[in-house]
Amino acid sequence: MSTYQRNMSLAGEPPKALNTTQRLAVVVGMAGLGILVLHLFNQEITHPAIWLTAALTLISGGIIGFAAGSYAHKQEGIKNDGVWFKSISSRGFLGWLLGIALTGFYIVLYFYAELLGLNTEGDNTGVISLFDPLSRALSGNPASQWFVYGTLYTIAILAFGIKFMWKYRHNRYEVIRTISVMFFQTAFAFLIPEFMARLNGDGYNLPYYDLKNIWPLNYYNFEQYRINDFISSGAIGMFLLIFGIVSIFVITPILTYKYGKRWYCSWVCGCGGLAETAGDSFRQLSDKSQSAWRIERWVVHSVLVFVVMMTTTVVSVYLGYENEGYWLSRDVFLFTVAAGLLVLYAAIMYWKRHQLKKDAVVGATVYLFISLASVALIYFVDITQIKVDASYFSLGLNQGIYTLDVAVKSLYGFLIGAIFSGVIGTGFYPIFGNRVWCRFGCPMAAILGIQQRLFSKFRITTNGGQCISCGNCSTYCEMGIDVRAYAQKGENIIRASCVGCGICSAVCPRGVLKLENGPMEGRINSEAVLLGQDPDLMALLSDRKAN
Amino acid sequence: MEHIVIIGNGIAGITAARHIRKLSSKRITVISAETDYFFSRTALMYVYMGHMKFEHTQPYENWFWKKNKIDLKKAYVTQVHTETKKISLESGEQMTYDKLILATGSVSNKFGWPGQDLNGVQGLITKKDLELLEINAPDNKVCKRAVLIGGGLIGVELAEMLHTRNIPVTFLVREKAFWSSVLPFPEASMISNHLLSHHIDLRHEEELDEIIGDSHGNVKAVRTKKGEIIACDLVGLSAGVRPQIKFLEGSGIDTDRGILVNRYLQTNIPDVYAIGDCAQQREPVGERKSVEAVWYTGRMMGETLAQTICDQPTLWNPGHWFNSAKFMDIEYQTYGWVWNSPKEGNAHYHWQDQKNNRAVTVEYNLHERTFIGINTFNMRMRHEVFDKWLDDQQSVDYVIENLQQACFNPEFYKKPFHEIQSDFLKQKSAI
Ligand SMILES: Cc1cc2nc3c(=O)[nH]c(=O)nc-3n(C[C@H](O)[C@H](O)[C@H](O)COP(=O)(O)OP(=O)(O)OC[C@H]3O[C@@H](n4cnc5c(N)ncnc54)[C@H](O)[C@@H]3O)c2cc1C
Ligand code: SF4
Ligand code: SF4
């Protein structure tokens, strides 16, 4: 290590040191968390409403107080001083500690909820019972581990959202976008489903439904129990079911065409919302290498194929039971899926092949083949007769024997739903950055990304020759896009993974980047030549480049 | 195979190498004494401020060079033997070239101030300077005060950098307002006020007289021309840069301030070229200076020279002038020419929004009303649009009326264009 890096380890010097307000805020926030932790071990809880209010107020107060200590006394502008010196934001000791704590929390939440006080029989105890009063007030029911999680999640988005807006108060795009995610989280993810639960009982049997959570992110939306619930809940149920389908096939494509995937990923989505607010301090940790990009493309598209196949399997199985009274038959459904995939593939290959690199074509073809083969398998073989011994896949943790469809569903729920999106996706924020899930795992992001790349008006425009290759944009791109590689060549950035967070544009010290919606024509300008040159040379350069 | 040797792995040398590679399969060797890999000099400040790590300043991954068959060599070139087409390296090794490209960049200006070689006196140009700064000014205990000399762009970067570590900064500038040798006065004073608002102790019309050392050869204080003595542990030199050409003495290559080149970027010696900060035009192009130490010029010269090297002789003929910078929180862009006071026959239209540190100055020809150039502060503008307007020799009235078209601010920004337009019309009718 060279001298200057050694000197950096000096503890507690600005810009690394915390000021008094920040320290106080940490104490306040920790006190709030401490209340929750103490209640882990508390079987009999007295005054849960008071303690819960105290805990949540202290936690939010701590976060907002920390934001005040960080930004209130500073002028508007970019606030990245010391990011790479601070242990928490540079994969230092605190970063690892937080990563381990978060990962542990997710493992308990998903697999050992009884430790939080969830009891199969009898009332909640522990932390979960602390949340009972709030849950009763909203839905009328006692809390579950998911209610606890949902509440903390919403508090995180709201409090860190305020911090984020404070930090970027000079940038209205960031402020408005953050208000949007805060709203969608509070209203759509948190309150509306709880209120919907209140309806249940008198003629309604609505499943828990966050309306903005669209399939395939919401991979279980079309499982049998939910479809039955929807169908048995009258007009509201049918509306929700139809809304779920319309969101996929109408709303999403139109909005993505007009604005790019950002309308969802950084304006609406809850995963994105948490990443942008609570995860903002970790965006610089994403891997920018080309090899990471290659892995990303394979992994995220594999998850997409996996979810399509999983859902097809699950739906086809319950459509296959006789006399269930579904409008759609199994064969029609399977035929539609196969035909849909084929048409999509053919359309892309016909109209967009010149925009695809060779490996994309190979990938798409392999994926099409796998998908069609699985559809054929489901069609010709009664997969409910195939038995799978789960102990092979779970290292012996699960000894059960399942039919293939249930096995596929459980495997997806376990691997993708729990491990990838929760444990790794959020637990590893301080290690891999805040969008690991969105980048490598989210099948919704994969679909939106394909459309954004091929059929959308969105792009990030680069400003002629102004780039000085400084690297701020690439460093702070949470999706690991090497923005500079495009900017320094004067090329627009049109990448499937770009969630349109706008931070690259915000941190650019030379005003080089602008997120825009414009005509599709000329959107991809990889033959671009940097402005500022003699016009004849520009012509010559692009001539020679094109040849 | 023809061997192209490039001395200097900065933006000029590397751009030349990349473009020669695109156009040919010639053997390319890039030599630099500074670092193994190309990095962005303009980003040094962000490393000290903790926005980035040093590796983030490297625009290409390390495998890039091998894959593109560009040989890199870390060595210092001590001599160029133009008669034998050889260069000598510090190790004693020699290397033969068929064509030589000099892209050696700049060093800090020193004006022979007493004490200028004391410990704790430094500029900020190289990676080594950055490392030195971590030794001289790691925090405000080791460095209780820094004094910066000369008010250029590197100076304001140094001020911002030291400020992030709570190191008190005294900034001596000769002019009445910051960078007013380049910026029109109202803008220069806006920048001055901004620096002051960040508690930078900015001293206008003040110059360095002497740097005073202690018995260990370390900086202790400076004395200003007005006679004030300011105690400090660091003296930052930011009074401009000059070409790095010392090692060329006796090589037969013509130099003045920089390496003298013709419009083909060729020196007086055949097959020896110079580009970037170190090159000096024998005849300056248009209004441009003969030595231009800016990133963009280095890049564009690299692009141009690659064509010449690859058998397509191409004149150095840059397009319209543009530049940008950032003064702490204030972004600055310029397109075309705006002088600090209007050129003969020209006038300035100036608009300012003090609350938001936004400003615009447009220079135009009084008689013809043609638009000559624009400065904007905290208002991003679209390069492409101004390039076209300059090509078309649009009138100032047209430009002001259509400013919106050139807006490059992020979405949802509050735009001041209506205000500017009505203010412009009001001023116009008042004349
Ligand atoms: C702190 C700072 C901020 C800046 N910010 C901006 C900005 O915002 N915008 C802008 O337009 N410009 C900016 N500049 C100017 C810009 O960085 C330079 O104009 C540009 O880097 C010059 O590139 P170059 O390739 O000519 O030389 P350099 O990048 O200086 O590269 C020359 C290389 O040659 C090596 N070398 C020299 N002699 C020898 C030798 N004898 N043997 C071996 N190697 C040798 C040097 O070590 C060096 O690595 C800034 C400069 C600095 C220092
Ligand atoms: S490219 Fe820019 S807008 Fe897109 S994800 Fe990266 S930082 Fe956000
Ligand atoms: S686009 Fe902006 S932030 Fe990115 S490298 Fe260029 S100047 Fe730096």
Side-chain angles (χ1 to χ4, degrees):
Chain A
M1 283 286 123
S2 52
T3 35
Y4 70 95
Q5 270 165 343
R6 209 169 337 112
N7 280 329
M8 278 184 187
S9 58
L10 280 176
E13 302 296 345
K16 200 163 85 166
L18 297 185
N19 59 34
T20 319
T21 319
Q22 286 170 318
R23 279 184 207 171
L24 252 168
V26 171
V27 173
V28 170
M30 285 297 165
L33 271 183
I35 294 179
L36 296 185
V37 171
L38 280 180
H39 281 89
L40 276 179
F41 310 104
N42 221 345
Q43 295 301 309
E44 293 281 310
I45 291 191
T46 45
H47 310 303
I50 295 175
W51 284 115
L52 179 66
T53 313
L56 298 185
T57 313
L58 288 173
I59 292 174
S60 322
I63 297 169
I64 296 167
F66 193 87
S70 312
Y71 312 124
H73 60 291
K74 296 210 172 128
Q75 297 187 30
E76 294 182 1
I78 293 306
K79 300 280 170 278
N80 287 332
D81 294 343
V83 163
W84 286 99
F85 303 153
K86 292 175 191 157
S87 176
I88 190 127
S89 56
S90 64
R91 278 189 214 106
F93 177 71
L94 287 179
W96 279 98
L97 205 67
L98 179 65
I100 292 167
L102 283 172
T103 311
F105 168 72
Y106 275 94
I107 290 176
V108 170
L109 178 74
Y110 280 105
F111 306 114
Y112 302 100
E114 63 277 9
L115 293 180
L116 301 173
L118 186 75
N119 300 321
T120 33
E121 275 163 38
D123 292 343
N124 291 328
T125 51
V127 176
I128 296 186
S129 69
L130 198 61
F131 285 73
D132 279 342
L134 182 61
S135 181
R136 288 225 162 79
L138 294 173
S139 67
N141 303 321
S144 65
Q145 80 270 39
W146 302 120
F147 181 79
V148 173
Y149 180 52
T151 311
L152 294 177
Y153 199 104
T154 308
I155 295 269
I157 289 190
L158 292 177
F160 282 107
I162 291 173
K163 177 169 183 273
F164 186 85
M165 290 193 290
W166 212 325
K167 180 173 174 186
Y168 288 102
R169 61 188 184 274
H170 61 292
N171 188 318
R172 286 185 85 214
Y173 178 77
E174 299 303 335
V175 172
I176 295 173
R177 174 171 85 69
T178 306
I179 293 173
S180 170
V181 290
M182 287 162 73
F183 165 76
F184 277 103
Q185 174 61 30
T186 316
F188 280 61
F190 188 61
L191 295 177
I192 294 177
E194 298 295 333
F195 294 150
M196 266 165 32
R198 277 206 174 255
L199 289 175
N200 285 346
D202 22 284
Y204 292 106
N205 191 21
L206 296 168
Y208 182 93
Y209 192 20
D210 171 359
L211 276 169
K212 66 169 174 48
N213 208 357
I214 302 172
W215 181 91
L217 178 56
N218 183 350
Y219 57 91
Y220 44 78
N221 204 26
F222 300 109
E223 285 181 16
Q224 186 172 19
Y225 77 95
R226 290 176 70 93
I227 300 297
N228 290 345
D229 284 355
F230 285 134
I231 293 177
S232 65
S233 296
I236 295 191
M238 277 321 278
F239 167 77
L240 293 179
L241 178 58
I242 292 170
F243 184 79
I245 296 170
V246 168
S247 323
I248 304 171
F249 293 107
V250 183
I251 300 178
T252 298
I254 292 178
L255 289 178
T256 309
Y257 171 69
K258 289 184 79 141
Y259 307 111
K261 81 200 255 190
R262 56 183 173 152
W263 77 268
Y264 193 70
C265 297
S266 33
W267 285 73
V268 172
C269 179
C271 304
L274 190 73
E276 291 294 339
T277 52
D280 174 59
S281 307
F282 309 110
R283 60 175 64 246
Q284 66 283 355
L285 301 174
S286 60
D287 189 336
K288 316 302 189 299
S289 66
Q290 287 216 357
S291 45
W293 182 17
R294 200 168 309 125
I295 296 170
E296 163 197 318
R297 295 199 306 263
W298 280 105
V299 175
V300 78
H301 294 121
S302 299
V303 174
L304 176 60
V305 170
F306 189 7
V307 78
V308 170
M309 288 307 95
M310 187 273 286
T311 305
T312 309
T313 311
V314 169
V315 173
S316 75
V317 166
Y318 66 74
L319 290 182
Y321 299 144
E322 278 168 52
N323 307 325
E324 282 284 358
Y326 294 111
W327 161 84
L328 193 66
S329 85
R330 188 186 93 119
D331 293 1
V332 172
F333 172 71
L334 285 178
F335 179 76
T336 315
V337 171
L341 291 173
L342 257 174
V343 168
L344 195 64
Y345 175 86
I348 291 176
M349 288 305 150
Y350 184 73
W351 279 294
K352 300 284 177 181
R353 66 185 174 280
H354 49 279
Q355 289 181 19
L356 299 176
K357 294 215 181 83
K358 203 175 131 221
D359 63 339
V361 175
V362 172
T365 312
V366 170
Y367 284 134
L368 178 79
F369 185 77
I370 296 173
S371 310
L372 291 181
S374 349
V375 173
L377 178 82
I378 304 167
Y379 183 77
F380 290 112
V381 181
D382 183 355
I383 53 170
T384 56
Q385 297 305 314
I386 302 176
K387 298 282 190 286
V388 179
D389 183 345
S391 52
Y392 293 120
F393 298 95
S394 62
L395 306 169
L397 285 176
N398 185 340
Q399 300 282 349
I401 306 235
Y402 300 93
T403 60
L404 183 59
D405 58 316
V406 177
V408 169
K409 184 171 87 180
S410 313
L411 186 68
Y412 188 92
F414 172 74
L415 268 188
I416 311 297
I419 299 290
F420 209 154
S421 81
V423 180
I424 298 178
T426 313
F428 286 19
Y429 270 12
I431 309 303
F432 296 136
N434 54 335
R435 287 270 194 179
V436 187
W437 159 249
C438 311
R439 180 181 180 192
F440 293 95
C442 178
M444 179 78 184
I447 296 189
L448 297 177
I450 293 172
Q451 192 189 336
Q452 168 159 291
R453 178 72 181 70
L454 297 175
F455 196 65
S456 166
K457 295 159 86 78
F458 173 71
R459 86 291 311 275
I460 302 178
T461 311
T462 54
N463 201 6
Q466 288 281 22
C467 176
I468 52 169
S469 299
C470 69
N472 276 292
C473 51
S474 298
T475 306
Y476 287 90
C477 175
E478 54 192 352
M479 295 305 281
I481 298 171
D482 189 0
V483 183
R484 165 174 58 191
Y486 300 82
Q488 65 190 359
K489 287 190 278 184
E491 271 178 40
N492 291 345
I493 294 111
I494 295 165
R495 279 279 292 267
S497 62
C498 170
V499 290
C501 66
I503 295 298
C504 53
S505 158
V507 298
C508 173
R510 294 295 177 272
V512 178
L513 303 162
K514 179 168 164 62
L515 283 68
E516 289 188 289
N517 315 305
M520 293 259 289
E521 189 74 17
R523 186 175 74 119
I524 301 177
N525 60 343
S526 49
E527 301 305 329
V529 184
L530 281 162
L531 219 54
Q533 269 289 11
D534 157 24
D536 293 342
L537 179 60
M538 286 191 18
L540 188 68
L541 282 170
S542 52
D543 256 19
R544 281 190 157 193
K545 216 169 167 179
N547 291 335
Chain B
M1 206 189 318
E2 197 177 31
H3 187 196
I4 314 291
V5 173
I6 302 174
I7 308 182
N9 68 348
I11 181 67
I14 287 298
T15 308
R18 279 181 41 241
H19 281 258
I20 295 170
R21 175 51 71 243
K22 273 191 205 168
L23 300 170
S24 75
S25 54
K26 296 178 200 290
R27 185 174 155 214
I28 304 172
T29 306
V30 182
I31 306 178
S32 166
E34 189 179 7
T35 50
D36 292 322
Y37 299 106
F38 169 50
F39 74 98
S40 176
R41 198 170 298 295
T42 53
L44 283 176
M45 64 181 296
Y46 299 107
V47 178
Y48 180 86
M49 300 201 298
H51 294 207
M52 293 197 271
K53 296 213 278 186
F54 185 77
E55 53 265 36
H56 296 126
T57 67
Q58 295 175 175
Y60 301 93
E61 286 184 63
N62 294 348
W63 49 258
F64 177 88
W65 309 105
K66 200 162 185 183
K67 184 174 168 227
N68 288 288
K69 298 208 185 61
I70 295 174
D71 295 337
L72 304 179
K73 188 166 181 70
K74 191 171 175 193
Y76 183 73
V77 179
T78 49
Q79 264 182 314
V80 176
H81 314 278
T82 47
E83 341 63 63
T84 51
K85 289 196 161 186
K86 279 198 174 78
I87 56 172
S88 299
L89 307 181
E90 204 167 28
S91 59
E93 197 185 333
Q94 291 207 327
M95 188 185 277
T96 333
Y97 63 82
D98 295 304
K99 289 196 170 119
L100 179 68
I101 302 177
L102 302 166
T104 53
S106 305
V107 291
S108 291
N109 269 336
K110 289 187 178 179
F111 293 109
W113 296 294
Q116 67 181 14
D117 295 319
L118 287 165
N119 295 329
V121 181
Q122 69 163 108
L124 177 73
I125 294 191
T126 61
K127 181 172 184 237
K128 213 161 164 190
D129 292 335
L130 176 70
E131 289 162 2
L132 196 59
L133 192 64
E134 281 294 350
I135 295 167
N136 289 333
D139 55 52
N140 58 14
K141 298 196 179 62
V142 174
C143 179
K144 296 193 184 61
R145 177 167 292 277
V147 175
L148 306 180
I149 312 295
L153 293 175
I154 296 181
V156 76
E157 290 189 359
L158 268 170
E160 181 176 0
M161 290 158 72
L162 295 163
H163 182 62
T164 62
R165 302 214 183 168
N166 283 359
I167 295 173
V169 175
T170 299
F171 201 164
L172 309 183
V173 302
R174 229 172 21 193
E175 295 87 5
K176 276 201 172 68
F178 191 82
W179 217 35
S180 60
S181 54
V182 176
L183 299 177
F185 191 75
E187 298 173 344
S189 23
M190 181 177 85
I191 303 299
S192 284
N193 289 336
H194 183 61
L195 294 181
L196 289 165
S197 77
H198 275 292
H199 310 293
I200 305 292
D201 172 26
L202 181 63
R203 311 281 184 90
H204 294 122
E205 299 180 275
E206 184 61 291
E207 279 181 75
L208 177 69
D209 188 37
E210 180 191 0
I211 307 174
I212 305 165
D214 65 10
S215 53
H216 306 290
N218 297 325
V219 171
K220 193 169 83 179
V222 299
R223 192 204 329 271
T224 68
K225 283 253 162 87
K226 288 184 186 158
E228 191 180 347
I229 294 194
I230 304 168
C232 62
D233 304 295
L234 174 81
V235 174
L237 303 179
S238 54
V241 298
R242 64 189 151 80
Q244 179 164 18
I245 51 173
K246 205 144 190 289
F247 73 106
L248 294 175
E249 277 169 16
S251 65
I253 299 171
D254 272 358
T255 59
D256 173 36
R257 274 185 58 220
I259 303 163
L260 288 166
V261 293
N262 64 16
R263 287 291 290 275
Y264 288 96
L265 305 170
Q266 207 165 14
T267 65
N268 59 315
I269 310 277
D271 294 332
V272 180
Y273 304 84
I275 53 177
D277 280 18
C278 67
Q280 179 179 354
Q281 299 294 318
R282 286 180 192 272
E283 4 158 352
V285 184
E287 300 282 357
R288 288 171 181 257
K289 296 196 179 111
S290 59
V291 178
E292 276 179 15
V294 288
W295 183 263
Y296 314 113
T297 301
R299 192 196 74 221
M300 295 188 297
M301 283 182 170
E303 289 164 1
T304 309
L305 180 60
Q307 299 290 332
T308 304
I309 298 270
C310 298
D311 312 317
Q312 180 100 30
T314 306
L315 274 182
W316 166 239
N317 192 23
H320 301 290
W321 172 253
F322 67 97
N323 201 358
S324 57
K326 198 170 175 187
F327 306 94
M328 302 197 85
D329 299 317
I330 302 181
E331 290 180 14
Y332 153 73
Q333 292 189 334
T334 187
Y335 300 98
W337 293 109
V338 178
W339 286 274
N340 59 351
S341 60
K343 279 233 154 151
E344 177 89 42
N346 290 355
H348 279 174
Y349 164 70
H350 182 73
W351 175 87
Q352 196 167 333
D353 162 11
Q354 298 207 331
K355 190 169 141 265
N356 297 304
N357 284 327
R358 290 191 294 195
V360 175
T361 298
V362 177
E363 177 141 348
Y364 61 98
N365 182 286
L366 255 181
H367 189 63
E368 315 271 340
R369 296 195 73 73
T370 27
F371 167 71
I372 315 274
I374 187 168
N375 284 350
T376 63
F377 292 81
N378 273 348
M379 231 183 280
R380 296 176 174 182
M381 290 285 145
R382 214 179 272 269
H383 189 171
E384 204 183 342
V385 173
F386 275 109
D387 225 44
K388 175 142 193 334
W389 286 348
L390 287 163
D391 274 347
D392 298 350
Q393 303 197 309
Q394 285 292 0
S395 72
V396 59
D397 309 275
Y398 178 91
V399 168
I400 299 274
E401 199 183 315
N402 291 286
L403 267 184
Q404 168 81 27
Q405 265 186 48
C407 177
F408 203 71
N409 273 339
E411 293 150 300
F412 302 115
Y413 259 59
K414 289 224 170 81
K415 302 194 182 82
F417 301 122
H418 286 302
E419 214 183 305
I420 295 174
Q421 279 144 6
S422 54
D423 178 67
F424 176 74
L425 292 178
K426 211 162 73 197
Q427 288 198 20
K428 193 172 156 187
S429 60
I431 297 170

